[in-house]
Amino acid sequence: MYKLLRAPFQPVTYSRWLHLCVPLLLLAIWMFINPSQPWMPLLIVIPFGFVPWVRLAEGLQAQFLLTPQNRDSLTGGMGGVSGLRGAGDADGISTTASVRWSDRWRTLLWLEVRLVVAGAAMFATVWLPLMSVEFVATAVGHPLNPDLTLSFAPPRWVSAVLAPVPLVVLIVVVVLLGEMITRIARRLLGPSAAERLTALEARTEQLLERTRIARELHDSIGHALTVAVVQAGAARSAKDPEFTDRALNAIEETGRAALEDLERVLLVLRESAQPPSQRPTLAEADRLLESARAAGAQVDAQLTGALEKLPGPVTREGYRILQEALTNVLRHCGPVPVRVRVEVSPGRLDLEVTNPLPERPVLSSRSGSGLRGMRERAALLGGEAETGPRDGGWRVHARLPLERIR
């Protein structure tokens, strides 16, 4: 009831009214051609239902006139795709051309239903205001032809009381028909199951990309900051100009590499047309090892196999796992001996990093996402990563399959 009272003051009421009246243009044109067959437009629209772009046009019209408030809120505050909605999909009304026959049949049914509802809207729009006019004319003593609307002439005082009733009924009918045609539009012009699945896949890809970017920033920037902190502390404690010089060079090199990674990620976030720089691979693992050595760690590395021939996803994710493992060593254990083994065997890449655990950690160990990120990276490739204490030390062991990636 409250909604009906507010309806005359809502712009959407009149936009839906306009939507209900638009099909009357076709009926009006046909009545000039052959007024004896007013049902003929129901047959005329049948071929148009199978034209793919008709669904797009009907969807746009339905969005602008049936759900204008939802479209404004979607386009005004949308920084990206929200939920299952695609671009131009406001309140469940799709704006894509028909692809499957099921979409074409739904479009055809929509056109037919829209014409029928428009007929009801036309009757109410024409005859109800005319009844009000006749009641007013009768109340002032100048009745119109009763054959137009009424089959009887009520008393003048009754006509004065009944004069606004048809207009109120008209508003009620327009609101109800508008609600009905909007619900029908969501059913017949809404996204199909295939379109919803496509939107869900796109949303999933977007979330995965954001997660990957977060891991990239965590691994790259975290590694650079850890190396810089450890190097700066060691240089201050050593009080050796030569060692300080080497530490500053290591900080500079690590920071420059982190800036390159940061710029690449920012380019992705900005959706720049410029191609981002290539992500580092295990073929560049020496850069990581030298960075750890420059931070004071005693790195015993053994790299076997054709690292340069590894599949792209494996070698890139393997590099990040190795980077995170070395970063954790420097962050929590300091410059301790580190044993690194990277082996390319038939069908699998094995990556292992082990180090002794100090009695007291160098930095406070707060729960972070590094270990979880290593496991997630391995799981995305169908492999696994194990992290935890082993033989009095700490061990990171990742196994990445190769057959599934090629």
Side-chain angles (χ1 to χ4, degrees), residues 47 50 62 66 88 93 186 211 232 287 302 313 350 368 386:
F50 298 104
L66 296 181
I93 299 178
R186 289 169 179 157
T211 302
R287 187 176 72 177
Q302 182 178 346
D350 284 278
E386 300 174 355

Side-chain angles (χ1 to χ4, degrees), residues 26-44:
L26 176 61
L27 179 60
I29 294 174
W30 178 255
M31 294 300 289
F32 278 107
I33 299 175
N34 190 352
S36 63
Q37 296 179 332
W39 46 266
M40 186 58 70
L42 293 173
L43 300 179
I44 295 176

Side-chain angles (χ1 to χ4, degrees), residues 162-314:
L162 295 180
V165 173
L167 297 180
V168 174
V169 174
L170 175 60
I171 294 297
V172 173
V173 170
V174 168
V175 171
L176 294 179
L177 289 179
E179 286 288 338
M180 182 178 69
I181 199 65
T182 301
R183 293 177 182 272
I184 295 174
R186 289 169 179 157
R187 293 295 300 271
L188 299 180
L189 296 179
S192 63
E195 290 171 340
R196 291 183 182 276
L197 180 59
T198 301
L200 179 61
E201 291 175 347
R203 177 62 174 167
T204 302
E205 288 295 326
Q206 185 184 52
L207 292 176
L208 289 175
E209 179 65 15
R210 290 180 179 178
T211 302
R212 187 187 67 80
I213 289 175
R215 285 199 302 262
E216 291 283 326
L217 287 175
H218 173 271
D219 294 347
S220 178
I221 306 304
H223 174 78
L225 292 177
T226 299
V227 170
V229 169
V230 173
Q231 288 278 29
R236 184 177 57 183
S237 302
K239 298 181 179 180
D240 182 356
E242 185 178 352
F243 182 85
T244 301
D245 185 63
R246 290 199 305 270
L248 291 176
N249 288 334
I251 293 174
E252 179 184 7
E253 181 181 351
T254 305
R256 186 177 292 111
L259 285 176
E260 292 178 0
D261 288 339
L262 179 61
E263 179 65 22
R264 176 182 55 77
V265 172
L266 291 179
L267 286 174
V268 173
L269 291 176
R270 295 167 185 158
E271 296 180 351
S272 173
Q274 302 177 11
S277 58
Q278 295 294 324
R279 294 171 58 192
T281 66
L282 280 176
E284 306 170 56
D286 288 342
R287 187 176 72 177
L288 282 179
L289 302 177
E290 290 302 323
S291 177
R293 291 189 180 103
Q298 303 172 22
V299 180
D300 175 19
Q302 182 178 346
L303 311 178
T304 59
L307 298 179
E308 68 281 355
K309 295 183 180 180
L310 287 173
V314 173

Side-chain angles (χ1 to χ4, degrees), residues 1-183:
M1 186 63 181
Y2 178 69
K3 189 174 184 179
L4 289 176
L5 294 176
R6 293 181 52 198
F9 308 100
Q10 299 294 321
V12 68
T13 299
Y14 302 97
S15 66
R16 289 178 176 177
W17 196 351
L18 176 61
H19 184 273
L20 291 169
C21 294
V22 167
L24 300 180
L25 297 175
L26 176 61
L27 179 60
I29 294 174
W30 178 255
M31 294 300 289
F32 278 107
I33 299 175
N34 190 352
S36 63
Q37 296 179 332
W39 46 266
M40 186 58 70
L42 293 173
L43 300 179
I44 295 176
V45 300
I46 291 178
F48 294 96
F50 298 104
V51 178
W53 293 104
V54 170
R55 182 169 180 253
L56 169 61
E58 291 292 322
L60 287 172
Q61 187 180 149
Q63 282 190 7
F64 280 112
L65 298 180
L66 296 181
T67 59
Q69 71 283 0
N70 294 330
R71 182 178 178 86
D72 291 342
S73 62
L74 179 67
T75 56
M78 183 177 67
V81 179
S82 174
L84 292 181
R85 292 180 179 179
D89 178 10
D91 201 22
I93 299 178
S94 178
T95 55
T96 57
S98 300
V99 177
R100 296 170 176 79
W101 278 102
S102 60
D103 297 334
R104 295 184 175 94
W105 284 110
R106 291 166 65 205
T107 304
L108 172 59
L109 182 58
W110 160 255
L111 294 176
E112 299 289 348
V113 170
R114 188 180 178 191
L115 280 174
V116 173
V117 177
M122 176 191 69
F123 180 83
T125 301
V126 174
W127 290 102
L128 290 176
L130 186 59
M131 288 180 62
S132 287
V133 172
E134 186 166 339
F135 281 135
V136 171
T138 302
V140 298
H142 300 285
L144 300 178
N145 185 357
D147 295 335
L148 290 177
T149 56
L150 302 175
S151 58
F152 63 95
R156 295 177 62 179
W157 69 271
V158 174
S159 298
V161 172
L162 295 180
V165 173
L167 297 180
V168 174
V169 174
L170 175 60
I171 294 297
V172 173
V173 170
V174 168
V175 171
L176 294 179
L177 289 179
E179 286 288 338
M180 182 178 69
I181 199 65
T182 301
R183 293 177 182 272

Side-chain angles (χ1 to χ4, degrees), residues 218 222-223 226-227 230 288-289 291-293 295-300 321-340 351-358 360-365 370-371 374 387-388 393-397:
H218 173 271
H223 174 78
T226 299
V227 170
V230 173
L288 282 179
L289 302 177
S291 177
R293 291 189 180 103
Q298 303 172 22
V299 180
D300 175 19
I321 292 174
L322 177 59
Q323 183 181 54
E324 179 61 25
L326 293 175
T327 300
N328 286 341
V329 172
L330 294 174
R331 178 183 294 132
H332 302 296
C333 301
V336 298
V338 183
R339 183 173 178 268
V340 177
L351 191 153
E352 184 182 58
V353 178
T354 57
N355 62 276
L357 290 175
R360 299 179 60 184
V362 175
L363 299 179
S364 61
S365 178
L371 300 181
M374 285 190 283
T387 60
W394 186 268
R395 176 175 177 260
V396 173
H397 186 201

